[in-house]
Amino acid sequence: MPQRVLIAGTSPLLAGRLAARCLAAGERAADTEVVLLSVVRSRPGAPAPGRRELAGFVTEQGSGAEGPDALDAGRLTVVCVEPDGVDAELKAWTAEQVWCVVPGWDRSRARGARADAALAGSLLAALPGLGARRYVQVGQDPAPDDDRARRSCRDLERPAVEACLDSGVSWRMLRTAPVVDARAPALGECPPGAHRLLWALDSVRAEVADRVPDWFERQPLRVAGVAGLGLPLLTAERAAGELWRAGAPGDLPDGFAAVPRPAPVPLTDVLARAGAVHGIDVRPVPDRADFNAVDRLLDLRLTGVRRQAVRLRGTAPAGPSGAAEAARSGGPAHGTARSGPDGTDTATAATGAGAGAAQAPLPPSADGTAPSDAPSSLSPAGQWELFGAVRAHGASPDAARGTGGLRRRVVDVAGRPLVLFEGGTGEGPPLLVLNALGQGPGFLTRLCAHLVPHHRVVTWQVRGTEREDPPWGTRHQLDDIDAVLAAVGAERAHLLGWCTGAKIATAFQQHRPGAVASLVFLNATFRQNDRWDGMDTKYESDLAAVCRALDRRPEKAAWMLDLLAPGAAGGGGSPGARDAGVLGVLSRALADEVRRPFRDAEVLVRYARQLVDLWRLDSAAQAPRVAVPTLFVCSEFDGISSPARAREAARCFPHARYAELAVAGHYAPHDRPALVAELITEFLRAPREVADLVRYAEITWHIDTEGTAR
């Protein structure tokens, strides 16, 4: 009778490779059925793979070294389920052996810990109903200095051991260090360590190249804090093989084991090779004193990479605090190396204990062969090949093309056409995206492309600046929102306002409180005449002077067109902020969009009068009555809308969260669409918890207490 193995995991990469091992291993391979249960919540920038994609990945792995006949599609069932659907799905299955693959690789620690704990809890509760006789849990083997991750790992292992003992189920608790694999980006994964390093380089390169394509042909990228550190480069194939060896045999005793780490590769070497693959000259420097904005951005994105790194033998942190840092990091250097029988370097350092027990060596395989002390390090040539493959698999289509996956349609409102763009099929209220006054849809197409897979998104062409438009003040903008709600058949919606859209969204919430589920403000301007004096950016001051003059003397519009240069704004930041440099340059894709309100005298007059009307609106008086969750997302280098004023405005909203993006400008929704979309998506799912769920080094959360921003 065939035996069934259930492999459930939050890592499709590792769970898929284990499924391939299971289907191809041992004499009973032909009698084994595998159910691969992928429990991954898709999010912007990291879409979860579908059933066909995962099945193809497993088949591809099994048709390699194990031979073309190792996998039979009839013996593999792939199920992709949302976290809240796991309990119901498990009721449909029985399995002799259950694998829980929870390596903790989510980029957000808090989100990853919750997802891993939820899956493990569901599987453990279901063990009696599944009829399981053996349970294997694969968790993370944290870096030696990462005490927080070690506590999280133990918190997962303890209840698992207790549940297995109570149920009379044999168990193995296994750990693995983060892996590197060319297919990880295609499966929506970015494990800690090498993958986060490659992502950091590629994301910085893309953000700079969007402005100045040849920047890195003339400029190096400087890094600090990497001397004396190394990364173990463990391939997913090797990790899956060692895990299967340690957990699959049914006659193994209960206990703990971990995949040995390869000897760490100096982080300076990894950065140099990864930089070359991306066409970047990466130069280590002793400190951050002379960092420009691009260097700072990379430094922030490498924060987690440094946390995963280990100190190389015989090195100590630079500077007078080196001894103290060494003591905090665990004393002696980690990753002691020796020469293996084939001349490669192997690591002999211990990998840590599980749940307070001593770490056991990996057991022999079913054929009696013993594993090596540790996998060999990737050769320089292997690193070149792997890093290049990761970049190739991570390439994605340009989300800026078209309208971000939105369909265009025209509806009649007040006897005039209103152009709508809509897409997506998310559950719950739709997300209405209020563009800035005078702007076209191009500013938000990248953001909408990342939002559409998760939400029903609707935006429209803001009226009032085209030559054929009648005067269109704030009251008319509220009427348009009413009309959009009716057109999409929704009684309630989330409102997202970019720039001037924030004040209009606030006014609509007061106009129809029951129709608004939440508010999101991106790079919001809350400018109001005679309020919050002294907080204007230079651009806001200049714009206000021009608009007031044109409201009184519209005949002067022709010679005022050249007074404003919006393409040069956006990188000055708050008073006293460091220069944004190349990150303050306007994206080439926005060159025409940003000139839209300034293309001729008549349009400029209409735009000026819309702004003058908006500045009369007292949002500060309205804000205390806003009873829905509100998210502010602003930018350190916003030289158009004042971040200082946005922070003051957030104080007035009873349920506000305020996030500031480091080294970002006014057009952050365009420049960093995946990150901004992730903030929005997690906020709409869990508004009270968003500051914990999306906590990265490049985001500063300004929160004192519940509902109070600072």
Side-chain angles (χ1 to χ4, degrees):
M1 181 177 178
Q3 71 163 344
R4 180 177 291 146
V5 179
L6 171 66
I7 300 177
T10 56
S11 166
L13 171 68
L14 194 54
R17 283 194 173 273
L18 285 168
R21 290 275 175 176
C22 181
L23 287 166
E27 296 180 358
R28 293 190 60 191
D31 296 326
T32 300
E33 296 178 4
V34 173
V35 177
L36 176 57
L37 185 64
S38 180
V39 186
V40 182
R41 172 164 277 166
S42 185
R43 63 183 184 279
R51 186 179 65 84
R52 286 182 175 273
E53 189 177 1
L54 262 180
F57 172 67
V58 174
T59 303
E60 177 185 314
Q61 308 315 308
S63 61
E66 291 81 10
D69 299 326
L71 293 182
D72 181 348
R75 295 190 290 115
L76 172 66
T77 302
V78 177
V79 179
C80 298
V81 62
E82 287 284 311
D84 54 7
V86 173
D87 293 338
E89 184 64 37
L90 290 176
K91 294 178 181 178
W93 299 100
T94 60
E96 292 180 281
Q97 188 174 156
V98 174
W99 284 67
C100 177
V101 184
V102 284
W105 290 345
D106 195 299
R107 188 180 168 213
S108 164
R109 280 193 168 195
R111 182 174 57 207
R114 292 184 185 189
D116 292 342
L119 175 58
S122 294
L123 287 171
L124 292 168
L127 285 180
L130 290 167
R133 294 186 297 175
R134 184 167 182 79
Y135 177 83
V136 183
Q137 185 164 295
V138 179
Q140 61 177 310
D141 184 22
D145 304 339
D146 198 340
D147 292 336
R148 179 180 173 187
R150 289 190 172 280
R151 287 194 299 271
S152 178
C153 186
R154 289 194 295 270
D155 289 344
L156 271 180
E157 290 174 344
R158 285 194 183 104
V161 172
E162 292 171 359
C164 289
L165 292 174
D166 290 343
S167 303
V169 175
S170 64
W171 55 272
R172 297 284 286 173
M173 297 293 124
L174 309 181
R175 293 184 181 182
T176 179
V179 301
V180 59
D181 191 283
R183 293 294 302 276
L187 295 174
E189 284 203 73
C190 189
H195 274 287
R196 303 279 170 86
L197 181 149
L198 293 166
W199 167 81
L201 281 172
D202 191 55
S203 61
V204 171
R205 178 204 57 78
E207 204 164 322
V208 171
D210 197 41
R211 297 161 166 84
V212 182
D214 62 348
W215 176 263
F216 287 118
E217 294 177 13
R218 299 176 280 106
Q219 298 287 339
L221 190 54
R222 293 168 292 187
V223 296
V226 298
L229 297 179
L231 280 180
L233 302 180
L234 176 66
T235 65
E237 180 181 7
R238 182 60 185 262
E242 298 288 6
L243 289 168
W244 187 252
R245 182 195 301 270
D251 56 351
L252 291 175
D254 298 348
F256 301 86
V259 175
R261 292 172 176 253
V265 179
L267 193 49
T268 51
D269 293 352
V270 177
L271 280 163
R273 293 185 186 110
V277 165
H278 288 84
I280 302 173
D281 176 14
V282 181
R283 297 184 186 177
V285 294
D287 56 53
R288 300 170 175 82
D290 297 323
F291 269 15
N292 58 32
V294 180
D295 300 330
R296 280 185 60 211
L297 182 58
L298 178 65
D299 188 63
L300 289 168
R301 291 180 178 173
L302 288 177
T303 300
V305 176
R306 288 189 291 266
R307 185 168 57 233
Q308 285 292 325
V310 297
R311 188 150 298 283
L312 300 173
R313 182 174 178 79
T315 65
S321 61
E325 288 191 30
R328 286 196 301 270
S329 67
H334 304 288
T336 306
R338 63 175 174 82
S339 178
D342 58 356
T344 58
D345 288 336
T346 58
T348 60
T351 52
Q359 199 75 20
L362 290 175
S365 63
D367 60 6
T369 60
S372 60
D373 287 339
S376 57
S377 298
L378 275 176
S379 66
Q383 294 173 46
W384 279 99
E385 181 179 359
L386 185 56
F387 295 166
V390 170
R391 185 184 180 190
H393 279 287
S396 59
D398 184 2
R401 296 175 183 171
T403 56
L406 303 179
R407 303 177 301 276
R408 183 182 185 274
R409 71 178 172 120
V410 180
V411 298
D412 184 84
V413 179
R416 307 193 66 83
L418 180 65
V419 181
L420 297 185
F421 300 93
E422 54 187 322
T425 57
E427 298 180 358
L431 176 62
L432 304 191
V433 180
L434 283 66
N435 207 343
L437 294 175
Q439 311 301 320
F443 287 103
L444 299 171
T445 51
R446 289 185 183 178
L447 177 64
C448 289
H450 283 84
L451 289 170
V452 163
H454 312 279
H455 311 278
R456 184 184 179 195
V457 177
V458 184
T459 186
W460 58 94
Q461 180 61 57
V462 179
R463 299 196 282 188
T465 54
E466 300 302 319
R467 294 182 183 87
E468 62 273 15
D469 287 344
W472 212 257
T474 302
R475 178 66 214 191
H476 298 95
Q477 304 293 346
L478 303 186
D479 292 341
D480 280 353
I481 300 175
D482 271 324
V484 169
L485 278 171
V488 302
E491 296 182 357
R492 199 161 181 257
H494 303 283
L495 295 191
L496 185 159
W498 178 58
C499 193
T500 52
K503 292 191 76 172
I504 295 171
T506 304
F508 184 80
Q509 195 279 334
Q510 295 296 288
H511 167 60
R512 286 187 58 191
V516 178
S518 70
L519 294 170
V520 179
F521 301 145
L522 306 181
N523 298 94
T525 175
F526 278 88
R527 188 183 189 283
Q528 182 183 338
N529 291 333
D530 303 322
R531 189 180 291 272
W532 296 322
D533 291 342
M535 293 185 183
D536 280 0
T537 64
K538 182 179 185 303
Y539 181 79
E540 284 176 313
S541 298
D542 293 344
L543 181 64
V546 169
C547 289
R548 286 195 295 265
L550 288 178
D551 188 38
R552 296 189 302 269
R553 303 286 301 275
E555 69 276 7
K556 295 185 175 292
W559 69 268
M560 285 188 175
L561 282 172
D562 296 331
L563 291 181
L564 298 174
S574 303
R578 284 174 281 190
D579 183 15
V582 68
L583 293 179
V585 176
L586 184 72
S587 166
R588 294 170 297 150
L590 298 180
D592 292 334
E593 293 285 350
V594 80
R595 298 188 186 97
R596 181 183 287 264
F598 310 95
R599 62 186 184 270
D600 63 42
E602 183 178 352
V603 169
L604 178 58
V605 170
R606 291 172 176 270
Y607 178 58
R609 286 176 169 165
Q610 278 192 321
L611 288 176
V612 168
D613 179 61
L614 184 69
W615 290 333
R616 297 189 183 106
L617 186 63
D618 190 352
S619 297
Q622 295 176 333
R625 299 193 300 272
V626 174
V628 297
T630 307
L631 174 66
F632 284 73
V633 182
C634 297
S635 303
E636 176 188 2
F637 287 136
D638 193 338
I640 292 180
S641 298
S642 168
R645 178 176 291 127
R647 283 196 296 273
E648 286 299 312
R651 289 178 178 273
C652 302
F653 287 79
H655 307 287
R657 296 287 185 273
Y658 180 96
E660 188 164 291
L661 307 183
V663 209
H666 185 67
Y667 305 108
H670 174 89
D671 300 331
R672 300 182 194 173
L675 178 60
V676 175
E678 183 179 348
L679 279 163
I680 295 166
T681 298
E682 295 293 4
F683 173 73
L684 297 187
R685 285 174 178 165
R688 291 177 178 270
E689 301 170 2
V690 62
D692 294 322
L693 297 176
V694 191
R695 186 171 288 276
Y696 307 135
E698 65 185 282
I699 300 176
T700 300
W701 287 98
H702 294 268
I703 301 174
D704 284 327
T705 58
E706 173 68 20
T708 303
R710 62 173 170 83

